[in-house]
Amino acid sequence: MALPLMCALALGASGAGSDDRDDRDDKDKDKKPKISVKANPAMGISPARIVASADLSGGANDYEEFYCPSIEWEWGDDTKSTTSADCDPYEAGKSEIKRRFSADHVYRTAGDYRIQFRLKKKDKSIAGGSTSVKIRPGLGDPGGGGTF
């Protein structure tokens, strides 16, 4: 594993290929980060506690549109969770976006649910992503094989 690192350092030190990387870095600064949403576990038995996470990858660390957003999780069972932060004013080149968000939710009834994640500024959705979970009936769930 140390060999690729040494090769990269040698290339950077000699100047070979560094102009291409700088051009790529400049292009990434203007790019919008991509959002991926995951649920763990993706399948459960009711009542099931699911942890959802959203990761932002690529783009600039100071991408202004994604700085200090409010977060909305829509769980697919007619419930929502929202959070917001109190942040310092945005400063280009200094302020950094948050790249990982997570929340958990308990599904009490069986079904196929779509979890939606949204980054919001004021009341406007600026970006988002989604994933699905499957919840099977447990013993306490109607149709789950009995009640307590």
Side-chain angles (χ1 to χ4, degrees), residues 45-48 107-109 136-148:
I45 297 172
S46 68
Y107 289 94
R108 303 207 180 278
T109 57
R136 297 186 183 264
L139 289 176
D141 192 356
T147 58
F148 293 107

Side-chain angles (χ1 to χ4, degrees), residues 61-82:
N61 280 336
D62 67 341
Y63 190 77
E64 184 174 7
E65 192 175 11
F66 286 8
Y67 178 69
C68 200
S70 59
I71 306 302
E72 180 179 87
W73 294 95
E74 190 172 326
W75 299 105
D77 61 356
D78 297 325
T79 63
K80 291 181 185 179
S81 301
T82 58

Side-chain angles (χ1 to χ4, degrees), residues 34-42 49-57 71-75 81 83 98-105 107 114-119 128-133:
K34 290 185 169 58
I35 299 174
S36 64
V37 180
K38 296 177 183 165
N40 187 22
R49 181 179 173 266
I50 304 297
V51 177
S53 62
D55 292 299
L56 278 60
S57 60
I71 306 302
E72 180 179 87
W73 294 95
E74 190 172 326
W75 299 105
S81 301
T83 58
K98 185 174 176 182
R99 292 205 173 256
R100 182 162 177 80
F101 303 88
S102 64
D104 64 276
H105 184 70
Y107 289 94
R114 182 173 174 203
I115 300 171
Q116 296 183 66
F117 169 81
R118 291 186 191 91
L119 291 175
S130 66
T131 190
S132 297
V133 294

Side-chain angles (χ1 to χ4, degrees), residues 122-136:
K122 298 185 181 172
D123 288 330
K124 181 183 173 196
S125 180
I126 55 173
S130 66
T131 190
S132 297
V133 294
K134 182 174 191 72
I135 307 299
R136 297 186 183 264

